[in-house]
């Protein structure tokens, strides 16, 4: 110890350390820290102790639950012998006692990396019940066996604070007239506001306040301190929006703000304190909690019942439970995809539901199915995702740098040029996680990430999630695998019916249930579905330790803001999104050589089939008895039905195979109309090329009429066949948006083609048949054949349906320019109606806040 520096001895849980003034000591749950405190209320890197030159100084590093001296929360304070510091709670948090060397036991100086002993549950004021023997269910005829009850906690057991204790109106997400605030975290930095001065915020270096965040536009917003003492925030046409108390302000408009208002720009939030601007940067160390989440479906059935839990920053939370326990519903409620009917979700003490438009960009969701196009390489898939999620003014070099950073973090840089299909299951899941990490979310939710993986890959994925949590994120994973639950900080067990059966450390869960294996626990859930598992949990000492304070806040109905205020803005303009989606879709198709070959071979084969039938379309009116050429209608029937099949086959699987990708991208601001239009344009071009192929082969060896009605007859026929292909392609999109699995598309495709054959008007008389004629008007092939019939004058070439009245022909076949135009107009109109139907059907696969 240096001369003149008073020795300081720290005591924690019966152990003492003599502190060296030449170095700084870190306190927290981080195993790599100097003083490790295993208490859920203590943050990962909670505080530091160091010699300040005049005295010892303790500094809180933005911990969730705070550092306390004499019952008061402190951020930085000089301390000395005789002081006592509580971590996480002012009364019963882990206590650090400080004394001089004279009063301390003789002890060798502590090593550079000293660890405090683990704070066991017994040292927190309650006695842990002994391990219970597994219950052997042996139902009796008169009295069924009930699951074993845990021992109740001692009456004197303390009530520890949960790691996300709120203060004031922040606990409920903001009372009326007062917005939510940032707990008690210290600001990241301060900025002085001078009267009349404009402080511009953005990503570009020429801004007065530079925010290094790719979610922020180059010139995003500006603060103005007006001469009358008011403060204004003006959006400068940003891509991801500027928010006041979680609600977006109109682009290029200004809003007057006060000391209780919070302004959100990307991952940063600002508030006015006096004449200065405090900035809070969301680096991932945020608390998260669910409060009394209840979801009720039609009929009044509750599929999620009063679910409450809370977690500190940098935590990995596992969620398990049998089928029907509401895990998927819980995930949708926690992410805001389907807000709960009652209760709230708090993100850093802010209501996720009420401020979804702003907070949604800080949440990542990895569904069970991969959210990427498997035909693309890893880098290409991430490149298109970055173009869709980052602002339109983001430079290509900035996107590439962020992609490289994520690839290195997840150890995917050696696989970046491989196609996703060439990766293992675990590597594909890493790519899905990488896609979500592009925008640096603080919360990451994963739905069954280890489904279908072998035990080795299961461990790799869970270790990946453990690393993500340790690096400064909160990770919640829904899983059926129980092999690697020990890697989690907390475990949430859902019971049948959607209630909580357990929440706490994973290594205490089996003892809590009184079984030796998870298979026994799940069997008990199945065998005793009517048992009050939630009541058993709420009567336990684990509940008092880990969830009692969360439940102490009464349940409340969710008062949602207007849908327009909740809907996140589009990071890219509509045309920019359309162009990116078209390029990506074209890349996906170009990488699938088999699909490209099929698109060329199918119309070519159908065109060749029609050539087998000898017939001429351009014969002059012959003399009896060979007045008619009945094969002309048959040839047009083959070409029309072939085009129907080709057009529908192009699109019938395109929406269902991308459904999971669309759901996720829609939640990040993807335009529904841009997505649909990208499909229509790319598939429309392909279908048009197919129409040219099938017409070129089918009509090349035929003698056509010398003149058409409006254009050359070959052009008129090709336009009709191409329009039929387009409308059939739109029908295929309708089928693809209706089905739940890709396997159901092929039977519906065959049925569609067969129905078109029947109602063309070639096989039998359709006109003058009440009911049948009107139903045929809905069939694209009916109008396509009619359009070809006007050009070819099929009413003259084909035998009349009534030989006694040869002038009685189908009115849609009248060989006039007006009838041809009407036929092709109605044919295209059917395709447009199908497009509107697809847009409506796509709404079913979107987060509720995105539905219009």
């Amino acid at each position: 110890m240096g001369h003149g520096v008073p020795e300081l001895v720290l005591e924690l849980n019966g152990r003492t350390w003599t502190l060296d003034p030449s170095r700084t000591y870190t306190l927290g749950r981080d195993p790599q820290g100097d003083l490790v405190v295993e208490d859920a209320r203590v943050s990962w890197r909670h505080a530091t102790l160091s010699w300040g030159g005049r005295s010892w100084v303790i500094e809180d590093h933005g911990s969730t639950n705070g550092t306390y001296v004499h019952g008061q929360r402190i951020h930085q304070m000089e301390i000395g012998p005789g002081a006592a510091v509580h971590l996480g709670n002012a009364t019963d948090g882990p206590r650090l006692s400080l004394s001089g060397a004279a009063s301390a036991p003789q002890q060798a100086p502590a090593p550079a990396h000293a660890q405090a002993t683990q704070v066991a549950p017994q040292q927190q004021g309650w006695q842990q019940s002994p391990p219970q023997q597994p219950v052997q269910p042996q139902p009796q005829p008169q009295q069924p066996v009930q699951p074993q009850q845990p021992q109740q906690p001692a009456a004197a057991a303390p009530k520890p604070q949960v790691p996300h204790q709120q203060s004031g109106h922040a606990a409920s997400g903001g009372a009326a007239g007062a917005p939510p605030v940032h707990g008690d975290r210290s600001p990241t930095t301060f900025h002085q506001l001078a009267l009349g001065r404009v402080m511009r915020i953005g990503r570009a270096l020429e801004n007065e306040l530079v925010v290094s965040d790719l979610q922020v536009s180059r010139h995003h917003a500006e603060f103005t301190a007006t001469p009358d003492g008011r403060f204004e925030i003006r959006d400068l046409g940003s891509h991801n929006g500027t928010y006041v108390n979680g609600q977006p302000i109109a682009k290029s408009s200004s809003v007057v703000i006060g000391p209780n208002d919070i302004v959100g720009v990307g991952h940063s939030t600002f508030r006015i304190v006096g004449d200065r601007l405090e900035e809070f940067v969301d680096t991932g160390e945020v608390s998260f909690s669910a409060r009394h989440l209840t979801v009720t479906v039609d009929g009044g059935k509750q599929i999620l019942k009063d679910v409450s839990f809370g977690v500190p920053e940098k935590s990995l939370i596992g969620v398990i439970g049998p089928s029907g326990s509401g895990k998927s519903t819980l995930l949708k409620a926690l992410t805001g995809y389907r807000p709960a009917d009652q209760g709230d979700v708090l993100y850093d003490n802010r209501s996720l539901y009420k401020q979804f438009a702003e907070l949604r960009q800080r949440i990542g969701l990895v569904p069970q199915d991969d959210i990427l196009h498997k035909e693309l390489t890893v880098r290409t898939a991430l490149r298109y995702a970055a173009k869709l999620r980052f602002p339109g003014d983001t430079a290509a070099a900035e996107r590439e740098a962020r992609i490289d950073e994520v690839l290195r973090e997840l150890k995917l840089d050696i696989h970046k040029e491989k196609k996703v299909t060439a990766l293992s299951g675990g590597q594909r899941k890493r790519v899905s996680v990488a896609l979500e990490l592009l925008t640096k979310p603080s919360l990451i939710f994963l739905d069954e990430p280890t489904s279908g993986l072998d035990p080795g890959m299961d461990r790799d994925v869970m270790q990946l999630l453990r690393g993500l949590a340790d690096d400064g994120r909160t990770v919640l994973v829904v899983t059926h695998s129980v092999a690697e639950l020990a890697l989690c900080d907390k475990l949430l067990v859902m019971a049948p019916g959607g209630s909580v059966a357990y929440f706490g450390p994973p290594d205490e869960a089996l003892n809590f249930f009184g079984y030796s294996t998870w298979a026994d626990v799940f069997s008990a859930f199945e065998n005793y579905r009517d048992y009050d598992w939630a009541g058993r949990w709420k009567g336990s000492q684990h509940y008092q330790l880990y969830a009692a304070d969360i439940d102490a806040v009464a349940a409340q109905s969710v008062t949602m803001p207007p849908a327009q205020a909740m809907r996140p803005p589009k990071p890219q303009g509509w045309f920019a999104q359309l162009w990116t989606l078209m390029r990506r879709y074209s890349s996906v198709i170009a990488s699938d050589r088999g699909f490209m070959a099929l698109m060329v071979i199918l119309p070519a084969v159908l065109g060749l089939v029609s050539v087998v039938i000898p017939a001429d379309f351009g014969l002059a009116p012959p003399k009896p008895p060979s007045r008619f050429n009945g094969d002309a209608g048959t040839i047009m029937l083959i070409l029309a039905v072939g085009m129907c099949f080709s057009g529908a086959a192009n699109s019938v699987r395109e929406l269902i195979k991308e459904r999971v990708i669309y759901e996720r991208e829609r939640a990040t601001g993807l335009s529904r109309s841009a997505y649909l239009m990208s499909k229509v344009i790319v598939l429309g071009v392909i279908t048009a090329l197919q129409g040219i192929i099938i017409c070129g082969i089918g009509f090349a060896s035929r003698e056509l009429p010398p003149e058409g009605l409006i254009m050359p007859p070959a052009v008129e026929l090709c336009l009709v066949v191409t329009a039929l292909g387009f409308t059939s392609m739109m029908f295929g999109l309708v089928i693809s948006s209706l089905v739940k699995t890709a396997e159901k598309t092929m039977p519906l495709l065959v049925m569609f083609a067969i129905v078109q054959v029947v109602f063309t008007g070639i096989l039998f008389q359709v006109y003058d048949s009440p009911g049948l004629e009107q139903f045929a008007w809905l069939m694209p092939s009916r109008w396509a054949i009619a359009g070809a019939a006007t050009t070819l004058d099929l009413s003259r070439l084909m035998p009349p349906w009534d030989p006694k009245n040869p002038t009685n022909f189908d009115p849609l076949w009248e060989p006039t320019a007006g009838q041809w135009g009407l036929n092709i107009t109605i044919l295209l109109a059917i395709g447009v109606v199908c497009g509107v139907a697809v847009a409506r059907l796509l709404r079913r696969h979107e987060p509720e806040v995105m539905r219009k």
Side-chain angles (χ1 to χ4, degrees):
M1 187 72 66
H3 179 69
V5 177
E7 293 186 346
L8 189 68
V9 177
L10 182 147
E11 180 181 356
L12 171 65
N13 192 34
R15 293 190 60 186
T16 58
W17 294 266
T18 300
L19 303 186
D20 181 357
S22 64
R23 61 183 303 269
T24 298
Y25 294 84
T26 61
L27 297 85
R29 290 189 297 109
D30 186 356
Q32 303 302 317
D34 300 299
L35 303 175
V36 182
V37 186
E38 289 291 347
D39 189 292
R41 295 165 293 176
V42 177
S43 296
W44 192 257
R45 299 181 68 85
H46 194 102
T48 58
L49 268 169
S50 61
W51 174 252
R54 186 180 62 180
S55 62
W56 287 91
V57 176
I58 185 167
E59 180 180 359
D60 185 281
H61 284 271
S63 65
T64 300
N65 298 303
T67 304
Y68 299 86
V69 176
H70 300 305
Q72 299 297 317
R73 184 162 187 169
I74 59 99
H75 296 296
Q76 187 176 25
M77 184 176 181
E78 295 182 351
I79 56 175
V85 179
H86 285 87
L87 305 179
N89 186 266
T91 56
D92 63 351
R95 185 175 188 269
L96 308 180
S97 299
L98 306 174
S99 62
S103 61
Q106 294 299 317
Q107 178 176 314
H113 182 77
Q115 284 199 353
T117 56
Q118 179 173 343
V119 181
Q122 291 86 344
Q123 295 157 349
Q124 295 184 22
W126 60 278
Q127 296 299 319
Q128 185 176 11
S129 56
Q132 302 172 7
Q133 295 300 319
V135 177
Q136 300 299 330
Q138 296 178 353
Q140 302 297 325
Q142 300 295 330
Q143 184 177 4
V145 175
Q146 297 297 332
Q148 188 170 346
Q149 300 291 334
Q151 296 183 12
Q152 296 302 316
K159 192 175 183 181
Q161 301 295 316
V162 293
H164 39 270
Q165 182 70 17
Q166 285 80 18
S167 61
H169 56 270
S172 61
V181 297
H182 288 279
D184 294 315
R185 285 194 292 127
S186 299
T188 306
T189 186
F190 303 95
H191 308 278
Q192 199 68 30
L193 285 173
L195 292 181
R197 177 189 174 193
V198 175
M199 179 179 290
R200 191 170 53 181
I201 304 172
R203 206 175 68 248
L205 296 178
E206 61 264 24
N207 292 285
E208 288 78 12
L209 203 164
V210 179
V211 179
S212 300
D213 181 359
L214 290 183
Q215 294 288 343
V216 177
S217 299
R218 291 182 58 80
H219 301 97
H220 196 103
E222 62 184 19
F223 281 100
T224 303
T226 60
D228 58 2
R230 299 188 308 167
F231 297 93
E232 291 184 353
I233 178 68
R234 174 182 294 276
D235 183 86
L236 300 178
S238 63
H239 293 82
N240 279 322
T242 304
Y243 303 84
V244 175
N245 301 327
Q247 306 306 311
I249 63 176
K251 290 185 181 298
S252 303
S253 65
S254 61
V255 174
V256 176
I257 58 175
N260 290 326
D261 293 320
I262 294 181
V263 177
V265 174
H267 286 80
S268 298
T269 51
F270 304 87
R271 66 180 176 187
I272 301 293
V273 178
D275 61 348
R276 69 181 185 181
L277 187 67
E278 293 185 348
E279 179 182 3
F280 298 80
V281 179
D282 183 351
T283 58
E285 298 182 1
V286 295
S287 60
F288 180 77
S289 63
R291 296 290 182 89
H292 300 284
L293 298 182
T294 299
V295 174
T296 306
V297 295
D298 295 339
K301 180 182 178 181
Q302 290 184 342
I303 56 177
L304 204 64
K305 298 179 182 178
D306 196 26
V307 175
S308 297
F309 65 94
V311 294
E313 72 277 7
K314 294 185 178 181
S315 295
L316 174 60
I317 312 301
V319 180
I320 63 173
S323 298
S325 59
K327 299 189 299 297
S328 297
T329 303
L330 175 63
L331 195 63
K332 292 179 180 178
L334 294 176
T335 56
Y337 267 43
R338 198 288 188 191
D341 301 300
Q342 198 173 48
D344 207 353
V345 176
L346 299 185
Y347 172 99
D348 200 20
N349 300 331
R350 303 171 67 187
S351 171
L352 173 65
Y353 294 164
K354 298 176 183 177
Q355 304 184 30
F356 180 78
E358 176 187 354
L359 298 180
R360 56 93 194 176
Q361 59 188 338
R362 308 188 192 183
I363 295 176
L365 174 62
V366 180
Q368 181 174 350
D369 297 323
D370 294 327
I371 50 176
L372 36 84
H373 294 85
K374 299 179 181 179
E375 300 85 357
L376 302 178
T377 64
V378 171
R379 174 177 283 280
T380 302
L382 294 180
R383 183 178 291 135
Y384 284 121
K387 286 183 68 65
L388 289 172
R389 298 193 182 194
F390 289 144
D393 60 2
T394 307
E398 293 177 295
R399 291 194 300 267
E400 293 296 324
R402 179 58 188 156
I403 291 171
D404 290 337
E405 183 181 351
V406 171
L407 289 173
R408 287 193 301 269
E409 180 180 358
L410 298 183
K411 298 179 175 61
L412 287 170
D413 45 345
I414 60 175
H415 304 294
K416 60 185 178 182
E417 300 303 331
K418 294 181 181 178
K419 285 190 175 183
V420 177
T421 51
L423 303 178
S424 66
Q427 290 168 345
R428 285 201 303 270
K429 193 58 63 178
R430 282 178 177 265
V431 178
S432 294
V433 173
L435 191 150
E436 291 299 314
L437 290 184
L438 288 174
T439 54
K440 297 185 177 180
S442 303
L443 289 175
I444 302 177
F445 296 88
L446 299 100
D447 187 9
E448 303 286 355
T450 60
S451 178
L453 302 183
D454 60 51
M457 290 184 180
D458 180 3
R459 179 192 303 167
D460 291 343
V461 171
M462 291 300 292
Q463 288 177 342
L464 165 68
L465 303 183
R466 177 70 264 172
L468 293 177
D470 294 340
D471 287 341
R473 306 172 184 91
T474 298
V475 182
L476 187 144
V477 53
V478 176
T479 180
H480 279 303
S481 175
V482 297
E484 304 297 333
L485 293 180
L487 292 172
C488 299
D489 296 300
K490 291 290 188 297
L491 179 65
L492 176 67
V493 183
M494 301 294 293
S499 58
V500 177
Y502 173 82
F503 178 72
D507 54 351
E508 299 176 18
L510 286 176
N511 280 340
F512 171 83
F513 287 107
Y515 291 95
S516 58
T517 67
W518 283 108
D520 293 331
V521 175
F522 278 51
S523 294
F525 284 149
E526 180 65 27
N527 296 333
Y528 307 109
R529 298 188 71 88
D530 296 330
Y531 181 73
D532 186 10
W533 295 100
R536 180 179 187 272
W537 155 242
K538 290 186 177 181
S540 70
Q541 55 195 7
H542 285 77
Y543 173 81
Q544 297 297 326
L545 282 170
Y546 303 116
D549 283 3
I550 288 289
D551 265 356
V553 180
Q556 57 180 341
S557 297
V558 181
T559 304
M560 307 297 284
Q564 188 63 37
M566 293 186 63
R567 191 170 302 121
K570 300 176 179 60
Q572 302 273 342
W574 190 88
F575 286 103
Q577 285 194 1
L578 175 64
W579 178 242
T580 300
L581 290 168
M582 289 173 56
R583 290 177 57 198
R584 182 178 70 177
Y585 191 30
S586 300
S587 299
V588 171
I589 293 176
S591 64
D592 190 346
R593 296 181 180 178
F595 180 68
M596 291 186 64
L598 183 62
M599 287 189 299
V600 175
I601 293 174
L602 182 60
V605 170
L606 294 171
L608 289 172
V609 169
S610 69
V611 175
V612 176
I613 304 174
D616 268 327
F617 297 142
L619 294 176
K623 297 180 180 179
S626 60
R627 175 184 171 189
F628 303 110
N629 183 356
D631 290 335
T634 304
I635 294 170
M636 284 310 307
L637 175 64
I638 293 173
L639 293 176
V641 174
M643 196 68 247
C644 279
F645 189 85
S646 296
N650 290 338
S651 61
V652 76
R653 298 172 66 93
E654 294 308 298
L655 297 183
I656 180 62
K657 75 178 184 181
E658 291 187 359
R659 182 163 296 172
V660 177
I661 299 175
Y662 173 73
E663 290 177 3
R664 181 64 192 125
E665 291 183 341
R666 181 70 173 134
T668 62
L670 179 70
S671 168
R672 181 195 310 143
S673 58
Y675 175 77
L676 179 57
M677 189 58 64
S678 69
K679 297 291 185 186
V680 172
I681 293 176
V682 175
L683 291 174
V685 171
I686 293 173
T687 303
L689 294 175
Q690 290 179 324
I692 294 174
I693 292 174
I694 200 170
C695 290
I697 296 176
F699 297 135
S701 60
R702 307 291 185 189
E703 181 183 349
L704 299 177
E707 294 182 357
L709 300 173
I710 302 175
M711 296 167 280
V715 176
E716 290 183 3
L717 291 173
C718 191
L719 286 176
V720 168
V721 172
T722 301
L724 174 60
F726 171 81
T727 302
S728 299
M729 180 263 293
M730 298 304 295
F731 261 98
L733 290 177
V734 172
I735 294 174
S736 191
S737 62
L738 279 173
V739 297
K740 294 183 178 180
T741 61
E743 289 74 16
K744 296 179 180 179
T745 58
M746 295 312 295
L748 292 175
L749 173 62
V750 173
M751 182 182 70
F752 170 75
I754 292 176
V755 170
Q756 299 311 305
V757 174
V758 175
F759 293 99
T760 55
I762 294 289
L763 298 180
F764 59 91
Q765 180 178 333
V766 174
Y767 67 95
D768 286 342
S769 301
L772 183 65
E773 181 179 15
Q774 286 71 34
F775 182 76
W777 289 345
L778 302 176
M779 300 296 116
S781 62
R782 168 72 169 140
W783 298 99
I785 287 295
T790 58
T791 297
L792 298 174
D793 194 7
L794 281 186
S795 60
R796 178 183 62 82
L797 293 179
M798 290 181 60
W801 296 114
D802 183 5
K804 297 179 181 180
N805 187 10
T807 61
N808 181 20
F809 57 85
D810 193 329
L812 300 185
W813 293 12
E814 183 180 358
T816 64
Q819 187 62 51
W820 184 88
L822 177 64
N823 292 336
I824 198 169
T825 299
I826 295 179
L827 178 60
L828 292 173
I830 294 174
V832 172
V833 171
C834 289
V836 174
V838 173
R840 300 292 295 177
L841 290 170
L842 282 175
R843 294 176 66 251
R844 302 181 308 161
H845 310 295
E846 299 175 357
E848 289 194 6
V849 295
M850 299 299 294
R851 300 177 185 176
K852 298 181 181 178

